[in-house]
Amino acid sequence: MSLNPASRDDVSLLRAFVDFVRDSWKTIVVTTLAVVVVGLLYSATREEVYESTANVLFRETTISQQVSGVPVFENPQAPSSAGAEMITNVQLLQRDAIARAVHDRLGLSGSILDLQHRVKIQQEGLGNLASITASSSDPTEAQRIAQTWAEVFIAARQEADRRKLGDALSMLNTRLDELTPVERRSKLGRDIQEQVQQLELLQSVQDGGAEIVQPATLPGDPVSPRPRRTLFLSLLFGLALGIAVAAARRALDRKVRTPEVVTELTGLPVIAQFPESLFGGRVVEPGSWAEEEQFRTAAINIRYLDIGHDRRVLALTSARPQEGKTTIAANLAAVLARMGHKVSLVDGDLRRARLFETFGVERSPGLTEVVAGYADPRDAWRRVDLGDGEHLRLLPSGMQPPNPLEMLTSDTFRRVVSDEKVLSDYVLIDTPPVLVVSDAVPLAEVADAVLLVIRAGQTTKEDVRRTMRSLEQVGIRAIGAIVTGVSDRRQAYYQYGGYYEADGSGDGPQTIEPVAATPGAQSDA
């Protein structure tokens, strides 16, 4: 069952994210834990804060309306200019005079400004209700401040309204005193006396146009700190910060960490991945199923790359030493031979030869003696038994020459490789690192294909780019990459993978991803 392009992209994105989390989990976890610890320490060191709220309802009836005959207790929800009125009422609740009166009545410590900072006043919705919320480290004090603030404000409004009514009464009484007895008995006098009685009644029942509809209550739990809330927010922020830090580290990291990065840098399919733990600088033994199977996978992938081409001479190279190419070359040759192929292995690293040690044969006579004319090729080639009747042919390096580059560019060396190509299904050549010496270039020129070995966590991105440029400048293009030093967790993740095509069209070359995780980071000397 094939996936459509959209589904393939989704799978690729999900896989890339899973790989990112797997590679960066330590950074994410450490960052998250650090943020959580800081958040909990901050929460533990903060003083507990309690809040208490009193609600005040404002009526829309004004003194002028009361005096002119409008009912005192009007519907508070009746349409009017309540919006502007409430803005004014909220501003009046915040006056310094109210804060000063509350401060003096309760005998609070601290300044009036500090008290104002501890009290929050706001309109509730679009109605005529205002809330007065006071905070304090003492729950009782928070309740007293909120309740007293409401009481002081209402008392101030009552006093202001009574004062206005008193001024009106004084004016009416003065005018009444100016009337003669006859004028007092007239309609004018009786009207003035009736107004005086109404104002006296209003003055006695005046409540300032506001009342406390919800007294402040004693708070039970503090509003701050909240350990559970702090823990939850710290976890969210820590995860986000951890992912951001990990992404920044990956963006700034100069080292190649994953096979995906190799493909991005080179455009090559990664045909095998070898973890650090499976082996070190040795040839896997027959019957070592887990290890041999990984190299068998690599060999099969090489055969997939060879479809339609005559690529029987393969050169293995790397950017720098210690990336694992020698062990890869030895094990690939051994596994190809165990699969029934005729395999020849050439140690072309004349400066730091190691294949003779790997297979336990004499170093000389070898390649240098053959090229120099001191030995017959039939004497230099060694038969290496691999068990179960399988074997491969090995041409060791021979003694280290003073002029490796001249030997590798000689016609004699080319004939040696050409002759062996006729006798073998595969000829593998272990070459020196490209960026260290120039010997790898002539070796790559005699090969049908080049495999680039890259060590995760060691090879830099710039080294990979320079290696690719060096090969391309002389007309050599690698056909695949092998990544060593891959983490065991990532290796297990790919253990049961499969071949994936770059697209489903079936046209043109397809990118092959590793069938299975492949073992072995080795140590090239």
Side-chain angles (χ1 to χ4, degrees):
M1 178 179 178
S2 61
L3 298 176
N4 60 48
S7 299
R8 193 186 304 277
D9 290 342
D10 292 341
V11 171
S12 298
L13 288 174
L14 178 60
R15 180 171 171 180
F17 179 74
V18 171
D19 289 343
F20 168 74
V21 173
R22 179 179 294 103
D23 295 334
S24 309
W25 71 270
K26 288 184 179 179
T27 299
I28 296 174
V29 169
V30 169
T31 304
T32 302
L33 289 178
V35 172
V36 169
V37 170
V38 170
L40 293 179
L41 286 176
Y42 173 75
S43 178
T45 55
R46 288 192 63 190
E47 187 179 46
E48 290 185 340
V49 176
Y50 296 84
E51 285 186 353
S52 182
T53 300
N55 290 330
V56 177
L57 176 67
F58 293 90
R59 297 191 184 88
E60 298 175 1
T61 305
T62 63
I63 289 181
S64 60
Q65 292 172 329
Q66 295 175 27
V67 173
S68 62
V70 178
V72 175
F73 299 106
E74 190 177 278
N75 180 6
Q77 300 299 328
S80 68
S81 58
E85 183 99 11
M86 275 302 299
I87 293 176
T88 302
N89 289 330
V90 170
Q91 292 175 345
L92 291 175
L93 274 167
Q94 297 172 348
R95 291 173 57 195
D96 293 345
I98 304 298
R100 188 177 298 106
V102 173
H103 186 276
D104 293 343
R105 177 182 292 189
L106 297 179
L108 300 175
S109 59
S111 64
I112 295 176
L113 183 61
D114 175 66
L115 174 61
Q116 289 176 308
H117 288 162
R118 293 161 55 193
V119 176
K120 179 174 64 177
I121 299 171
Q122 60 185 12
Q123 181 181 0
E124 296 293 325
L126 300 176
N128 296 340
L129 196 66
S131 63
I132 304 169
T133 302
S135 61
S136 174
S137 58
D138 182 356
T140 302
E141 185 178 74
Q143 178 193 23
R144 292 175 61 203
I145 292 174
Q147 184 68 22
T148 303
W149 197 287
E151 292 172 353
V152 167
F153 175 73
I154 292 176
R157 282 179 64 100
Q158 290 174 343
E159 181 61 27
D161 288 352
R162 285 171 182 162
R163 188 166 53 250
K164 292 177 183 178
L165 291 172
D167 292 342
L169 278 172
S170 298
M171 292 176 58
L172 289 175
N173 285 326
T174 299
R175 187 174 180 186
L176 188 62
D177 291 341
E178 293 175 349
L179 296 178
T180 63
V182 175
E183 290 174 334
R184 287 192 178 200
R185 291 191 295 272
S186 66
K187 185 176 184 309
L188 175 61
R190 291 197 301 273
D191 290 343
I192 294 175
Q193 292 178 25
E194 184 178 348
Q195 289 178 359
V196 168
Q197 292 174 356
Q198 289 178 349
L199 290 178
E200 289 176 344
L201 175 62
L202 287 174
Q203 190 178 42
S204 65
V205 299
Q206 190 54 241
D207 60 0
E211 64 174 314
I212 300 175
V213 293
Q214 178 179 310
T217 58
L218 184 67
D221 298 321
V223 296
S224 176
R226 296 178 180 175
R228 291 183 181 179
R229 180 171 177 268
T230 300
L231 176 61
F232 177 73
L233 293 178
S234 297
L235 280 173
L236 288 182
F237 180 72
L239 282 173
L241 183 61
I243 292 174
V245 170
R249 287 188 61 183
R250 170 171 284 197
L252 298 174
D253 191 3
R254 296 176 59 247
K255 301 292 182 63
V256 174
R257 300 288 179 184
T258 65
E260 290 76 17
V261 174
V262 172
T263 300
E264 291 174 8
L265 293 172
T266 64
L268 302 176
V270 175
I271 66 171
Q273 301 178 50
F274 294 87
E276 190 76 32
S277 61
L278 287 187
F279 73 102
R282 61 179 175 84
V283 177
V284 296
E285 298 294 333
S288 301
W289 185 88
E291 298 178 352
E292 187 173 6
E293 187 63 24
Q294 308 308 315
F295 281 102
R296 187 179 296 270
T297 297
I300 293 173
N301 282 347
I302 290 174
R303 293 173 61 187
Y304 268 91
L305 291 174
D306 193 37
I307 293 177
H309 302 86
D310 184 23
R311 293 170 175 167
R312 289 187 292 156
V313 181
L314 303 176
L316 285 87
T317 190
S318 60
R320 298 190 181 277
Q322 305 297 324
E323 298 196 38
K325 61 177 180 56
T326 298
T327 303
I328 296 296
N331 281 276
L332 277 179
V335 168
L336 283 169
R338 288 170 183 155
M339 293 171 67
H341 298 289
K342 295 179 180 179
V343 181
S344 298
L345 179 60
V346 179
D347 192 346
D349 192 347
L350 302 184
R351 301 174 191 268
R352 304 183 70 178
R354 287 294 179 269
L355 283 177
F356 74 96
E357 293 178 345
T358 302
F359 288 100
V361 301
E362 294 294 329
R363 178 170 185 167
S364 145
L367 179 59
T368 56
E369 286 80 7
V370 171
V371 173
Y374 298 142
D376 189 287
R378 290 173 296 182
D379 298 329
W381 283 98
R382 312 287 203 280
R383 175 189 172 101
V384 177
D385 291 324
L386 300 173
D388 296 331
E390 304 293 347
H391 72 278
L392 61 81
R393 285 163 53 83
L394 171 66
L395 180 60
S397 65
M399 300 305 296
Q400 182 172 338
N403 54 345
L405 183 58
E406 293 180 12
M407 290 200 144
L408 296 175
T409 55
S410 67
D411 291 337
T412 304
F413 173 69
R414 293 176 183 272
R415 282 197 304 271
V416 169
V417 175
S418 177
D419 292 344
E420 200 63 23
K421 181 177 180 180
V422 175
L423 300 174
S424 303
D425 297 324
Y426 288 97
V427 179
L428 273 60
I429 306 175
D430 181 26
T431 74
V434 172
L435 301 183
V436 177
V437 293
S438 57
D439 302 1
V441 173
L443 283 169
E445 288 177 340
V446 301
D448 298 325
V450 173
L451 298 176
L452 183 61
V453 178
I454 297 171
R455 189 178 184 108
Q458 175 175 307
T459 309
T460 67
K461 297 175 182 178
E462 182 57 29
D463 282 349
V464 174
R465 296 189 186 100
R466 289 178 57 196
T467 300
M468 294 298 294
R469 286 197 298 267
S470 298
L471 295 175
E472 291 170 0
Q473 284 171 0
V474 292
I476 301 169
R477 181 163 182 82
I479 63 168
I482 297 175
V483 182
T484 62
V486 178
S487 69
D488 292 336
R489 292 184 304 276
R490 172 179 286 274
Q491 193 68 12
Y493 176 68
Y494 284 105
Q495 184 72 34
Y496 302 101
Y499 289 101
Y500 298 92
E501 295 180 344
D503 57 54
S505 65
D507 298 329
Q510 307 296 326
T511 299
I512 301 175
E513 296 185 6
V515 172
T518 35
Q522 60 298 316
S523 122
D524 264 305

